[in-house]
Amino acid sequence: MKKSEIRFSIALDDQKIPEAISWSATDAGADIHFAKAMNVSIWDREQQGTMKIDLWTKEMPVNEMKRFYVDMIGSLAESIVAATNDEYMGAKLRALGRELAQHVEQEERNQK
């Protein structure tokens, strides 16, 4: 059986606020990758619920954070269809993602 590992490293300031997020994975080569935000969700089979980690650095602008979440909704749409073949849920998530993307774009236009 092949084994793969993903490692996250979080550098914190004195107030324990993330300053830097990096990650590496055995299947992604030897490079260390950097991120401004991360969201990890895990289905705990014992608790029968979702455990999650949401972190972002001080440098993550609000507009990028909103786009990050809109992108995740799009990814969820594709994942739910691939995992369950539930096109209805996929369509609902895609529609929500489009609606929120339009909202974020309008906000950005209003700020100019």
Side-chain angles (χ1 to χ4, degrees):
M1 171 181 10
K2 182 179 181 202
K3 209 173 185 185
S4 184
E5 291 185 12
I6 301 170
R7 292 186 180 95
F8 296 100
S9 179
I10 315 301
L12 305 173
D13 69 10
D14 293 338
Q15 286 81 40
K16 297 185 180 178
I17 297 172
E19 287 188 326
I21 299 170
S22 62
W23 65 274
S24 62
T26 53
D27 288 350
D31 294 341
I32 295 175
H33 306 274
F34 293 90
K36 290 183 185 176
M38 64 180 274
N39 174 282
V40 178
S41 297
I42 301 168
W43 182 260
D44 184 280
R45 66 181 177 184
E46 300 296 321
Q47 299 283 328
Q48 291 291 297
T50 302
M51 300 174 69
K52 45 189 286 207
I53 300 169
D54 295 309
L55 295 174
W56 53 93
T57 64
K58 297 184 232 183
E59 287 77 34
M60 182 69 162
V62 171
N63 66 316
E64 285 185 28
M65 181 62 81
K66 289 181 180 184
R67 288 192 170 276
F68 175 54
Y69 279 96
V70 168
D71 284 351
M72 284 194 297
I73 290 169
S75 293
L76 285 172
E78 300 312 311
S79 293
I80 193 68
V81 172
T84 68
N85 205 30
D86 190 328
E87 291 291 342
Y88 177 81
M89 286 185 73
K92 287 292 189 180
L93 285 166
R94 280 188 215 89
L96 176 61
R98 281 191 301 274
E99 181 181 334
L100 292 174
Q102 290 170 354
H103 167 71
V104 170
E105 289 167 3
Q106 184 61 51
E107 279 187 337
E108 290 173 353
R109 282 192 296 273
N110 290 344
Q111 291 176 356
K112 290 180 181 181

